[in-house]
Amino acid sequence: MGGYSVQVGSLDVSSIVSQLMYAEQAPVRRLNSQISDYQSKIDAYNTLNSNLSDLLSSLNDLDDPEVFSSKATATSDKSILDASASGSAVQGTYQFQVDRLALYDNFVSDNVFGASSETTGTGSFDLVVGDSTYTITIDSSNNTLDGLRKAINTSGAPVNASIINDGTGYRLTITSEESGSDSAISVQNNTLTLSDGSTPLTLSRTHDISDVSELDASLTVNGLPVTSSSNQIEDVIEGVTLNLKSASASTVTLTVSNDTDTVKEKIQGFVDAYNK
């Protein structure tokens, strides 16, 4: 009707129809209103459920005895030594001097190769790692520098063999998977040669040490000498894990104390969750 009201005599038919339609839609409007109310309640219950879950979580945190026995550590020089402590640690102050870090043993081929695919001679050698011996055999099926690398890595020896270009050519390196003297490497009974079949293919340790014991970390704790095969030490002070970062002639002070900040944080978390 083009937006114009239709008059029939003195009656406004369009207005009457609109009013009748509006009246007929009253149940729909009531349902939409109820849906909106229910959705608001659902949202409110979901919020309450989430807040109660947070409250329960914060209460569980306070129920953990470790929270109130937790310890904090502080060192005077974290570039040399860092530490963490469990609840079983005893409060105290300790003096450290880190004389030497633990090393991963490493060997490199004395011979330089033009490519990783370069042919070598054949032969074998015993790769000794700690107390275990692994025989590496090179024959016509794997007599390349890369073949030698793969033979070592598939031997079961706890080492990683790699090929590195040092700028003069390609060299084989062998590095122990664990640090310390218990994982020291040695090469024995070596009959492996270069491609000419007569020149030995040899490997040498890269660390300048006089004895494999120097692969272990060395430090003093309150004047007592301590050695470790790892730079992460867990059994020197009960409940304390030490992380050695660098060697230094300086003395580092480690303080173990009650971790009041963590306790405050947990209590404040409970208060905030309860108020919420």
Side-chain angles (χ1 to χ4, degrees), residues 34-64:
Q34 289 176 348
I35 290 172
S36 179
D37 289 342
Y38 284 130
Q39 187 61 54
S40 296
K41 291 178 181 179
I42 291 172
D43 292 342
Y45 281 126
N46 285 337
T47 300
L48 176 61
N49 182 63
S50 176
N51 290 342
L52 286 174
S53 178
D54 291 342
L55 177 62
L56 180 60
S57 177
S58 65
L59 185 60
N60 288 335
D61 285 344
L62 290 178
D63 194 41
D64 184 0

Short mmCIF file of all heavy atoms in Angstrom, two decimals, residues 34-64:
data_model
loop_
_atom_site.label_atom_id
_atom_site.label_comp_id
_atom_site.label_asym_id
_atom_site.label_seq_id
_atom_site.Cartn_x
_atom_site.Cartn_y
_atom_site.Cartn_z
N GLN A 34 11.72 -14.21 28.60
CA GLN A 34 12.10 -15.31 29.48
C GLN A 34 13.44 -15.92 29.09
O GLN A 34 14.27 -16.26 29.94
CB GLN A 34 11.00 -16.38 29.46
CG GLN A 34 9.71 -15.97 30.16
CD GLN A 34 8.63 -17.02 30.03
OE1 GLN A 34 8.75 -17.97 29.24
NE2 GLN A 34 7.55 -16.86 30.80
N ILE A 35 13.63 -16.07 27.77
CA ILE A 35 14.92 -16.61 27.28
C ILE A 35 16.07 -15.72 27.74
O ILE A 35 17.12 -16.19 28.20
CB ILE A 35 14.90 -16.73 25.75
CG1 ILE A 35 13.95 -17.85 25.32
CG2 ILE A 35 16.31 -17.00 25.21
CD1 ILE A 35 13.72 -17.91 23.83
N SER A 36 15.87 -14.40 27.61
CA SER A 36 16.90 -13.45 28.03
C SER A 36 17.17 -13.57 29.53
O SER A 36 18.33 -13.55 29.97
CB SER A 36 16.48 -12.02 27.67
OG SER A 36 17.44 -11.10 28.09
N ASP A 37 16.10 -13.72 30.32
CA ASP A 37 16.27 -13.86 31.77
C ASP A 37 17.02 -15.15 32.11
O ASP A 37 17.94 -15.16 32.94
CB ASP A 37 14.91 -13.87 32.47
CG ASP A 37 14.24 -12.50 32.44
OD1 ASP A 37 14.96 -11.51 32.21
OD2 ASP A 37 13.01 -12.44 32.65
N TYR A 38 16.64 -16.26 31.44
CA TYR A 38 17.31 -17.53 31.70
C TYR A 38 18.79 -17.48 31.30
O TYR A 38 19.66 -18.04 31.98
CB TYR A 38 16.61 -18.67 30.97
CG TYR A 38 15.31 -19.11 31.62
CD1 TYR A 38 14.13 -19.24 30.88
CD2 TYR A 38 15.27 -19.39 32.98
CE1 TYR A 38 12.94 -19.63 31.48
CE2 TYR A 38 14.08 -19.79 33.59
CZ TYR A 38 12.92 -19.91 32.83
OH TYR A 38 11.76 -20.30 33.43
N GLN A 39 19.06 -16.82 30.17
CA GLN A 39 20.44 -16.72 29.72
C GLN A 39 21.28 -15.92 30.71
O GLN A 39 22.43 -16.26 30.99
CB GLN A 39 20.50 -16.07 28.33
CG GLN A 39 21.90 -16.07 27.72
CD GLN A 39 22.43 -17.47 27.53
OE1 GLN A 39 21.79 -18.31 26.92
NE2 GLN A 39 23.62 -17.75 28.11
N SER A 40 20.67 -14.86 31.28
CA SER A 40 21.37 -14.07 32.29
C SER A 40 21.68 -14.92 33.52
O SER A 40 22.76 -14.82 34.11
CB SER A 40 20.53 -12.85 32.69
OG SER A 40 20.35 -11.99 31.59
N LYS A 41 20.70 -15.77 33.90
CA LYS A 41 20.93 -16.65 35.06
C LYS A 41 22.02 -17.68 34.76
O LYS A 41 22.86 -17.98 35.60
CB LYS A 41 19.63 -17.35 35.43
CG LYS A 41 18.57 -16.42 36.02
CD LYS A 41 17.28 -17.16 36.33
CE LYS A 41 16.22 -16.20 36.89
NZ LYS A 41 14.94 -16.88 37.18
N ILE A 42 21.96 -18.24 33.53
CA ILE A 42 22.99 -19.21 33.14
C ILE A 42 24.37 -18.57 33.20
O ILE A 42 25.33 -19.15 33.72
CB ILE A 42 22.71 -19.77 31.73
CG1 ILE A 42 21.46 -20.65 31.76
CG2 ILE A 42 23.91 -20.55 31.21
CD1 ILE A 42 21.00 -21.09 30.38
N ASP A 43 24.50 -17.35 32.66
CA ASP A 43 25.78 -16.64 32.69
C ASP A 43 26.23 -16.41 34.13
O ASP A 43 27.42 -16.54 34.45
CB ASP A 43 25.66 -15.30 31.95
CG ASP A 43 25.46 -15.48 30.45
OD1 ASP A 43 25.75 -16.59 29.94
OD2 ASP A 43 25.00 -14.53 29.79
N ALA A 44 25.26 -16.05 34.99
CA ALA A 44 25.60 -15.80 36.39
C ALA A 44 26.08 -17.08 37.07
O ALA A 44 27.07 -17.07 37.83
CB ALA A 44 24.40 -15.22 37.13
N TYR A 45 25.38 -18.20 36.81
CA TYR A 45 25.80 -19.48 37.39
C TYR A 45 27.17 -19.91 36.88
O TYR A 45 27.98 -20.46 37.63
CB TYR A 45 24.77 -20.56 37.08
CG TYR A 45 23.53 -20.51 37.97
CD1 TYR A 45 22.25 -20.44 37.42
CD2 TYR A 45 23.64 -20.52 39.36
CE1 TYR A 45 21.12 -20.38 38.22
CE2 TYR A 45 22.52 -20.47 40.17
CZ TYR A 45 21.26 -20.40 39.60
OH TYR A 45 20.15 -20.35 40.40
N ASN A 46 27.43 -19.67 35.59
CA ASN A 46 28.74 -20.01 35.04
C ASN A 46 29.84 -19.20 35.70
O ASN A 46 30.93 -19.72 36.00
CB ASN A 46 28.75 -19.78 33.53
CG ASN A 46 27.99 -20.85 32.77
OD1 ASN A 46 27.81 -21.96 33.26
ND2 ASN A 46 27.54 -20.53 31.56
N THR A 47 29.57 -17.92 35.91
CA THR A 47 30.55 -17.07 36.59
C THR A 47 30.78 -17.55 38.01
O THR A 47 31.92 -17.62 38.50
CB THR A 47 30.07 -15.60 36.59
OG1 THR A 47 29.91 -15.15 35.25
CG2 THR A 47 31.06 -14.70 37.32
N LEU A 48 29.68 -17.88 38.71
CA LEU A 48 29.79 -18.38 40.08
C LEU A 48 30.59 -19.68 40.11
O LEU A 48 31.46 -19.87 40.97
CB LEU A 48 28.39 -18.61 40.66
CG LEU A 48 28.34 -19.22 42.07
CD1 LEU A 48 29.02 -18.31 43.07
CD2 LEU A 48 26.90 -19.50 42.47
N ASN A 49 30.31 -20.57 39.16
CA ASN A 49 31.02 -21.85 39.10
C ASN A 49 32.52 -21.63 38.88
O ASN A 49 33.35 -22.29 39.51
CB ASN A 49 30.44 -22.70 37.98
CG ASN A 49 31.10 -24.07 37.89
OD1 ASN A 49 31.00 -24.87 38.82
ND2 ASN A 49 31.77 -24.34 36.78
N SER A 50 32.85 -20.70 37.99
CA SER A 50 34.26 -20.40 37.72
C SER A 50 34.94 -19.83 38.96
O SER A 50 36.06 -20.22 39.31
CB SER A 50 34.36 -19.42 36.56
OG SER A 50 35.70 -19.05 36.33
N ASN A 51 34.24 -18.92 39.65
CA ASN A 51 34.83 -18.31 40.84
C ASN A 51 35.00 -19.33 41.96
O ASN A 51 35.99 -19.31 42.71
CB ASN A 51 33.96 -17.14 41.31
CG ASN A 51 34.02 -15.97 40.35
OD1 ASN A 51 34.92 -15.88 39.54
ND2 ASN A 51 33.05 -15.07 40.44
N LEU A 52 34.00 -20.24 42.11
CA LEU A 52 34.12 -21.29 43.13
C LEU A 52 35.27 -22.24 42.81
O LEU A 52 35.97 -22.72 43.71
CB LEU A 52 32.80 -22.06 43.22
CG LEU A 52 31.64 -21.34 43.91
CD1 LEU A 52 30.37 -22.17 43.79
CD2 LEU A 52 31.96 -21.07 45.38
N SER A 53 35.47 -22.51 41.52
CA SER A 53 36.59 -23.36 41.11
C SER A 53 37.92 -22.70 41.47
O SER A 53 38.83 -23.37 41.96
CB SER A 53 36.51 -23.62 39.61
OG SER A 53 37.61 -24.41 39.17
N ASP A 54 38.02 -21.39 41.24
CA ASP A 54 39.23 -20.66 41.61
C ASP A 54 39.44 -20.70 43.13
O ASP A 54 40.58 -20.83 43.61
CB ASP A 54 39.15 -19.21 41.13
CG ASP A 54 39.22 -19.09 39.62
OD1 ASP A 54 39.66 -20.07 38.97
OD2 ASP A 54 38.83 -18.04 39.08
N LEU A 55 38.34 -20.57 43.87
CA LEU A 55 38.44 -20.60 45.34
C LEU A 55 38.93 -21.96 45.82
O LEU A 55 39.80 -22.05 46.69
CB LEU A 55 37.07 -20.27 45.94
CG LEU A 55 36.98 -20.32 47.48
CD1 LEU A 55 37.91 -19.30 48.10
CD2 LEU A 55 35.55 -20.10 47.94
N LEU A 56 38.37 -23.02 45.22
CA LEU A 56 38.79 -24.37 45.60
C LEU A 56 40.26 -24.59 45.27
O LEU A 56 41.01 -25.19 46.05
CB LEU A 56 37.93 -25.40 44.88
CG LEU A 56 38.26 -26.88 45.18
CD1 LEU A 56 38.08 -27.17 46.65
CD2 LEU A 56 37.37 -27.80 44.34
N SER A 57 40.69 -24.10 44.11
CA SER A 57 42.09 -24.25 43.71
C SER A 57 43.01 -23.53 44.68
O SER A 57 44.06 -24.07 45.09
CB SER A 57 42.29 -23.70 42.29
OG SER A 57 43.64 -23.78 41.90
N SER A 58 42.64 -22.31 45.08
CA SER A 58 43.47 -21.56 46.02
C SER A 58 43.49 -22.22 47.39
O SER A 58 44.49 -22.19 48.10
CB SER A 58 42.98 -20.11 46.13
OG SER A 58 41.67 -20.06 46.69
N LEU A 59 42.36 -22.85 47.77
CA LEU A 59 42.30 -23.57 49.04
C LEU A 59 43.19 -24.80 49.01
O LEU A 59 43.87 -25.12 50.00
CB LEU A 59 40.85 -23.95 49.34
CG LEU A 59 40.58 -24.61 50.71
CD1 LEU A 59 40.98 -23.67 51.83
CD2 LEU A 59 39.11 -24.99 50.82
N ASN A 60 43.20 -25.50 47.87
CA ASN A 60 44.07 -26.66 47.72
C ASN A 60 45.54 -26.26 47.83
O ASN A 60 46.36 -27.00 48.36
CB ASN A 60 43.81 -27.35 46.39
CG ASN A 60 42.49 -28.10 46.37
OD1 ASN A 60 41.99 -28.50 47.40
ND2 ASN A 60 41.93 -28.30 45.18
N ASP A 61 45.87 -25.08 47.29
CA ASP A 61 47.24 -24.59 47.41
C ASP A 61 47.63 -24.41 48.87
O ASP A 61 48.75 -24.76 49.28
CB ASP A 61 47.38 -23.25 46.67
CG ASP A 61 47.41 -23.41 45.16
OD1 ASP A 61 47.61 -24.55 44.70
OD2 ASP A 61 47.20 -22.41 44.45
N LEU A 62 46.71 -23.87 49.66
CA LEU A 62 47.00 -23.66 51.09
C LEU A 62 47.04 -24.97 51.86
O LEU A 62 47.64 -25.05 52.93
CB LEU A 62 45.95 -22.73 51.70
CG LEU A 62 46.00 -21.27 51.26
CD1 LEU A 62 44.88 -20.48 51.90
CD2 LEU A 62 47.34 -20.64 51.61
N ASP A 63 46.39 -26.01 51.32
CA ASP A 63 46.35 -27.30 51.99
C ASP A 63 47.62 -28.10 51.76
O ASP A 63 47.81 -29.16 52.36
CB ASP A 63 45.14 -28.10 51.48
CG ASP A 63 44.83 -29.29 52.36
OD1 ASP A 63 44.91 -29.15 53.60
OD2 ASP A 63 44.51 -30.37 51.81
N ASP A 64 48.50 -27.60 50.88
CA ASP A 64 49.75 -28.29 50.56
C ASP A 64 50.82 -27.91 51.59
O ASP A 64 51.23 -26.75 51.67
CB ASP A 64 50.22 -27.89 49.15
CG ASP A 64 51.47 -28.64 48.72
OD1 ASP A 64 51.97 -29.47 49.51
OD2 ASP A 64 51.93 -28.40 47.60
#
